[in-house]
Amino acid sequence: MKNENFLKKALDLLKPPTKTYVEVAKTIEIKKKNQYYAVPTTDYDRRRLKKGDSLIVDFGNHEVGYADFKFNYVGSHPDAPAWVRFHFAETLQELFENPDEYHGWISSSWVETEQIHIDVLPVEMKLPRRYAFRYIKIEVIDISSKYDLVVEHVGCTAVSGADDTKLKHYDFGDAQLNHLDEIACRTLHNCMQTVFEDGPKRDRRLWIGDLRIQALANDLTYDNADMVKACIYLFAALPMPDERVGACLFLDPVPEVDDVRMYDYSLFFIPILWNYYEKTKDIEMLRELWPVAYKQITIAKKELGNDMLVQDSDELNWCFVDWTLNLNKQASAQGILLYALSVAIHIAQELGDVMKEEKLAELYMECRQAANNKLWDEKKKCYVSGKDKQVSIASQVWMILGEAIGGDAAIELLERVEAMDAAEEMVTPYMYHNYLDALMLLGQKEKALEVIRSYWGGMEALGADTFWELYNPKKPDESPYGGTIVNSYCHAWSCGPAYFLRKYFMPNV
Amino acid sequence: MKNENFLKKALDLLKPPTKTYVEVAKTIEIKKKNQYYAVPTTDYDRRRLKKGDSLIVDFGNHEVGYADFKFNYVGSHPDAPAWVRFHFAETLQELFENPDEYHGWISSSWVETEQIHIDVLPVEMKLPRRYAFRYIKIEVIDISSKYDLVVEHVGCTAVSGADDTKLKHYDFGDAQLNHLDEIACRTLHNCMQTVFEDGPKRDRRLWIGDLRIQALANDLTYDNADMVKACIYLFAALPMPDERVGACLFLDPVPEVDDVRMYDYSLFFIPILWNYYEKTKDIEMLRELWPVAYKQITIAKKELGNDMLVQDSDELNWCFVDWTLNLNKQASAQGILLYALSVAIHIAQELGDVMKEEKLAELYMECRQAANNKLWDEKKKCYVSGKDKQVSIASQVWMILGEAIGGDAAIELLERVEAMDAAEEMVTPYMYHNYLDALMLLGQKEKALEVIRSYWGGMEALGADTFWELYNPKKPDESPYGGTIVNSYCHAWSCGPAYFLRKYFMPNV
């Protein structure tokens, strides 16, 4: 099923990430007063570690890379190995969570911990795996009583596919906005590796939902068009058996599509392709990949009922929308289909594909009508989703982005639903990004800026160096995985502030 | 303090161990009925491992080497690392012991366990550390629920400095003796690496007490004279600050003497040198190292009291003798001094060093007289040791080997003390080796053979592939380290049966 031509185009564009050597900023100890905080302590290389002793080094910022160490000893010649545990952490809190106590549904193998035995000292060594971290805890599990371990040096070969020299810095008018932009750029920077990864602590996969947001932010920051192009060709090259674009791809050991299928994610191939075209005007690529994009509509159409509504499903994550089990996805899926159809119509127009343009326009009108007739609740005056007629912010946001509703009616709709206690709220920066997009479409610039300040600013206030996979202001310890120890704290889909600030709030230069 | 000339001679003789690739003999599961036993089960490569699953492979014999693995998966493309624990074990019982529960006084870093994360599958990998083992347990700590791990291959690059083609096999008249010889040879084989190690599971150091026995057995088995010569020069090259020959040496990162000093171990340099000379007639080497050997007598003499007795000490292991805290070492030390003096006199004679010969002979007579006057208990009719006049087998054995007593009087002494309930018994094959040596000196061949059959045969009956560091027939679970999980089950000082059988019980060919 692989398209070798597309695959070759993709692979030819991929480059290995560039390396930067980073030193430890300080050695810290951690205290708690409501939340954990760090205070500087004796430098790591001046400590002598016995059995059970540990130290924590702080690199001063979020890094993705390979750690190296120089260990030595004081006392008698080592007569037994030093048994050492490393715990790499993106946040201070992770250092207080015990992987043995994590029993959530994804694998605890994601916890960035290792154990090694050091047979010969002194030694310089590099751990072979890549980690995403700001902190490293080094703990002596056991050692001979005849000597103490000394960590003479810790460093990190940081890696990224982002070119720092391309990033321009702007003054957005106040310190908070400047800082939010900086954190968002760092988030994107550390998720840009050989491809756009979703979160370097865990997956290292290329997810299309993240790619859509990363590509937008990339255009206005690190401007690595080749990486976007390669990722688009990878998805086109590696469809699922029914020709659906996959939700995510693996690169190793060979590029391969995952077996995860999501209604919304396949459709996002279309706006990603269009966005790339708008940026580059690469008409040949648009023409070459148009059949792949159009195919996604054909596939999505099959899941419409006779009522022209996307059929609901009990299957977990049949359509992603947001990282919450409570959310009913039907109305959002309908909105996303409208959004994708609308973009597909633009592509057909650009390519002069009149036949398809007409078909798409007809389908769009039917689906829009179905949405407004059958998913609109006259009593609640909002879109509802599923057989229980669930009200959620997400459903309204996607109906607005799919232009089922617009103008003042849409502005009032959002305000009305936001005021409803029973409305399902958003939990990820990913859904908040789409919410911001809807606000911008409605010209609600001030409100959008306030969301950036309060939502992403909430993470900033909690000490984020990069923005997180999950942030629920009401429940900062929420995890969809049954434990925050496996949460990703540098997650591509949360880099949106860099895009919104640089697209809509640029200072007058 | 290093003698660079001696060190160069030693290093020039050292060769890297040779490699042999070994396949798994079978996959097993372990049952218990009084003791643990193994039964074959489904081959490892036909198993699918989920979280918490494990398998155990059996190489069929004790190996020292580097394990390699080929891992693959069945199910969806791996979407999380496989977190795998390895536990290498010399005996079945070790697999049921938990390193987290070991709180003895040597480091649990000796437990042969590792954890790794496998990011990309399929993968072929080799663990970088050397292990001593017959069994490997492979356990999936955690893994994604979307795939199962498959161990497609396990193998071992076994290493040894013993040349198998040099080993002759003999029929000692019955199956048990043949098997004991075979196990003893395997023990020596796996302890012969770059140097004679004491036990390949733990130290990897060159200990002089083990070297003495290994050199004797080596002469009659693998006949690697260069390794013996190199080890002698290493000890001569790397004395302690007071010119005492060290108890043990490290090879890595550079050859260095340990700071452990033992009264008896320094003196054993003399019989080791003499034994090598008797075998090779290398008079130049004998002459070159005679000052080092003689120095050990000078140093040992300083610890004599005015009564010409070795002064007792409360320092732990000031003199080794046997691996038990109860044993008082004074009388044994006196016997060992006599034994070393006697050998030193032979060397002085051989080299025509009349001055030293006379001095040594005079010292020998004074010490022998002191032993028989002051350590002989007329009531108990045996040698006693320390201020509490402790009776032990060890004291009698070393007085016999030091020829303080001989003939029928010595034979009766041993029988008398063996019959005393209060006499301290022997706990290691090391002390049993010296006991056998005493029996042979007294012409007690049959009794010696019976000791080999019952003591080393006791380990054989418990399934030993190689002979152990410790074996107390009355307490098979004894450990001087606070837990058998760190005991060494292939330990050089227990290879004695190969020496005794091949020296004294050779079949008429």
Side-chain angles (χ1 to χ4, degrees), chain A residues 164-345:
Chain A
D164 292 323
T165 63
K166 290 212 175 164
L167 184 69
K168 295 202 179 82
H169 299 275
Y170 303 103
D171 181 355
F172 294 97
D174 69 55
Q176 191 197 19
L177 292 182
N178 292 347
H179 193 208
L180 294 175
D181 175 68
E182 187 188 308
I183 298 170
C185 289
R186 185 71 185 176
T187 306
L188 177 63
H189 180 277
N190 282 358
C191 292
M192 288 172 73
Q193 298 294 333
T194 306
V195 295
F196 289 99
E197 298 184 4
D198 67 327
K201 171 177 168 183
R202 282 208 324 266
D203 280 21
R204 307 181 188 191
R205 271 179 277 176
L206 171 59
W207 284 85
I208 205 161
D210 301 76
L211 173 59
R212 183 173 63 96
I213 292 172
Q214 284 169 301
L216 293 170
N218 169 70
D219 289 350
L220 305 172
T221 56
Y222 298 103
D223 196 23
N224 187 340
D226 279 356
M227 191 184 282
V228 180
K229 187 173 182 178
C231 291
I232 294 171
Y233 270 108
L234 278 172
F235 276 109
L238 302 166
M240 299 184 78
D242 63 356
E243 296 186 64
R244 188 192 299 263
V245 166
C248 64
L249 300 177
F250 298 98
L251 245 68
D252 296 310
V254 292
E256 196 173 334
V257 70
D258 192 15
D259 55 11
V260 172
R261 58 176 66 206
M262 290 172 176
Y263 188 85
D264 47 352
Y265 272 37
S266 302
L267 287 169
F268 286 140
F269 183 81
I270 304 165
I272 293 168
L273 177 62
W274 178 246
N275 175 64
Y276 183 80
Y277 171 73
E278 281 199 305
K279 162 95 180 165
T280 61
K281 298 298 170 194
D282 184 344
I283 190 82
E284 280 183 46
M285 175 178 170
L286 188 69
R287 199 184 314 277
E288 188 172 31
L289 296 183
W290 171 230
V292 178
Y294 188 77
K295 189 79 199 176
Q296 304 317 305
I297 298 290
T298 319
I299 291 167
K301 193 179 158 189
K302 287 185 196 152
E303 296 185 36
L304 291 173
N306 291 329
D307 56 3
M308 297 310 278
L309 290 182
V310 180
Q311 291 177 284
D312 200 8
S313 169
D314 288 336
E315 198 188 316
L316 194 71
N317 277 330
W318 67 274
C319 180
F320 182 72
V321 186
D322 201 3
W323 228 159
T324 161
L325 294 176
N326 292 332
L327 185 69
N328 182 284
K329 317 287 178 77
Q330 187 192 22
S332 298
Q334 189 80 11
I336 290 164
L337 175 59
L338 292 175
Y339 172 77
L341 279 166
S342 164
V343 178
I345 291 163

Side-chain angles (χ1 to χ4, degrees), chain B residues 491-503:
Chain B
H491 217 76
W493 67 24
S494 66
C495 72
Y499 165 71
F500 288 106
L501 289 171
R502 288 163 184 256
K503 185 169 170 94

Side-chain angles (χ1 to χ4, degrees), chain B residues 446-490:
Chain B
E446 284 315 305
K447 187 171 173 184
L449 203 59
E450 187 44 41
V451 170
I452 292 174
R453 284 190 194 280
S454 63
Y455 184 72
W456 277 268
M459 290 184 258
E460 179 208 19
L462 291 171
D465 302 299
T466 46
F467 291 124
W468 309 342
E469 177 180 21
L470 268 295
Y471 174 58
N472 183 341
K474 294 177 186 166
K475 283 189 268 176
D477 286 344
E478 191 164 71
S479 168
Y481 306 117
T484 51
I485 194 170
V486 293
N487 280 8
S488 160
Y489 292 97
C490 172

Side-chain angles (χ1 to χ4, degrees), chain B residues 385-443:
Chain B
S385 185
K387 66 179 185 334
D388 296 333
K389 299 183 181 297
Q390 186 192 66
V391 177
S392 66
I393 311 270
S395 299
Q396 321 311 316
V397 164
W398 279 113
M399 287 301 190
I400 291 164
L401 288 170
E403 293 173 82
I405 191 169
D408 288 347
I411 294 172
E412 286 158 24
L413 167 64
L414 271 184
E415 285 170 358
R416 196 157 53 238
V417 173
E418 280 160 29
M420 289 183 197
D421 282 345
E424 282 293 323
E425 296 186 336
M426 302 173 285
V427 302
T428 58
Y430 170 75
M431 188 57 224
Y432 270 85
H433 180 99
N434 299 321
Y435 174 56
L436 283 184
D437 218 9
L439 290 175
M440 294 313 304
L441 185 68
L442 301 173

Side-chain angles (χ1 to χ4, degrees), chain B residues 24-297:
Chain B
V24 166
K26 54 182 180 289
T27 308
I28 56 169
E29 54 183 316
I30 304 179
K31 308 204 175 226
K32 189 171 186 180
K33 194 172 165 182
N34 300 324
Q35 69 183 82
Y36 292 105
Y37 66 99
V39 293
T41 184
T42 312
D43 287 348
Y44 68 84
D45 56 346
R46 293 173 54 213
R47 305 273 289 276
R48 287 167 161 230
L49 305 179
K50 297 180 191 296
K51 177 174 181 165
D53 288 348
S54 64
L55 57 80
I56 300 169
V57 295
D58 174 2
F59 280 82
N61 201 350
H62 187 280
E63 304 292 348
V64 176
Y66 301 84
D68 61 272
F69 304 88
K70 187 172 177 190
F71 291 104
N72 211 334
Y73 69 95
V74 286
S76 292
H77 190 295
D79 63 337
W83 190 8
V84 175
R85 180 186 288 125
F86 302 94
H87 190 171
F88 294 77
E90 297 183 302
T91 69
L92 291 175
Q93 178 174 313
E94 281 172 274
L95 294 173
F96 292 87
E97 294 173 310
N98 185 346
D100 296 340
E101 288 164 13
Y102 170 74
H103 300 292
W105 68 271
I106 67 168
S107 178
S108 63
S109 61
W110 285 123
V111 179
E112 299 180 310
T113 181
E114 305 292 347
Q115 294 186 9
I116 60 159
H117 291 84
I118 305 172
D119 289 307
V120 177
L121 287 165
V123 68
E124 290 185 54
M125 52 173 297
K126 189 168 178 173
L127 292 182
R129 301 179 74 218
R130 200 195 73 185
Y131 306 96
F133 63 101
R134 171 171 169 172
Y135 309 101
I136 310 176
K137 181 175 181 181
I138 303 170
E139 182 186 354
V140 177
I141 304 174
D142 209 342
I143 194 171
S144 164
S145 57
K146 289 192 70 176
Y147 72 97
D148 299 337
L149 191 70
V150 176
V151 186
E152 288 191 341
H153 187 254
V154 186
C156 166
T157 303
V159 288
S160 171
D163 179 351
D164 292 323
T165 64
K166 291 211 174 163
L167 184 69
K168 294 200 178 84
H169 299 273
Y170 303 103
D171 182 355
F172 295 96
D174 70 53
Q176 192 198 17
L177 292 182
N178 293 347
H179 193 207
L180 295 176
D181 175 67
E182 187 187 307
I183 298 171
C185 289
R186 185 72 186 174
T187 306
L188 178 62
H189 181 277
N190 283 359
C191 292
M192 288 172 73
Q193 298 295 332
T194 306
V195 294
F196 289 100
E197 298 184 5
D198 68 328
K201 170 177 168 183
R202 281 208 324 265
D203 280 23
R204 306 181 188 188
R205 271 178 278 176
L206 171 58
W207 283 86
I208 206 160
D210 300 76
L211 173 60
R212 183 172 64 96
I213 293 173
Q214 283 168 304
L216 293 170
N218 169 68
D219 288 351
L220 305 172
T221 55
Y222 298 102
D223 195 24
N224 187 340
D226 279 355
M227 191 183 282
V228 180
K229 187 173 182 178
C231 290
I232 293 171
Y233 271 108
L234 277 172
F235 276 110
L238 302 166
M240 300 185 76
D242 62 356
E243 297 184 63
R244 188 191 299 264
V245 165
C248 65
L249 300 176
F250 298 97
L251 247 65
D252 295 308
V254 292
E256 195 174 333
V257 71
D258 193 15
D259 55 11
V260 172
R261 58 177 65 207
M262 290 173 175
Y263 188 84
D264 46 352
Y265 272 37
S266 301
L267 287 168
F268 286 140
F269 182 81
I270 305 166
I272 294 169
L273 176 63
W274 177 245
N275 176 62
Y276 183 81
Y277 171 74
E278 281 199 305
K279 163 94 181 166
T280 61
K281 299 296 171 196
D282 185 345
I283 191 82
E284 280 182 46
M285 176 178 167
L286 188 69
R287 199 184 314 278
E288 188 170 33
L289 297 183
W290 172 229
V292 178
Y294 188 76
K295 188 81 200 177
Q296 305 316 306
I297 298 289

Side-chain angles (χ1 to χ4, degrees), chain B residues 285-328:
Chain B
M285 176 178 167
L286 188 69
R287 199 184 314 278
E288 188 170 33
L289 297 183
W290 172 229
V292 178
Y294 188 76
K295 188 81 200 177
Q296 305 316 306
I297 298 289
T298 319
I299 292 167
K301 192 179 160 191
K302 287 185 195 153
E303 296 186 35
L304 292 173
N306 291 330
D307 55 3
M308 297 311 277
L309 289 182
V310 179
Q311 291 177 285
D312 200 8
S313 168
D314 288 335
E315 197 187 318
L316 194 71
N317 278 329
W318 67 274
C319 179
F320 182 71
V321 185
D322 201 2
W323 227 159
T324 161
L325 295 177
N326 291 334
L327 185 68
N328 182 284

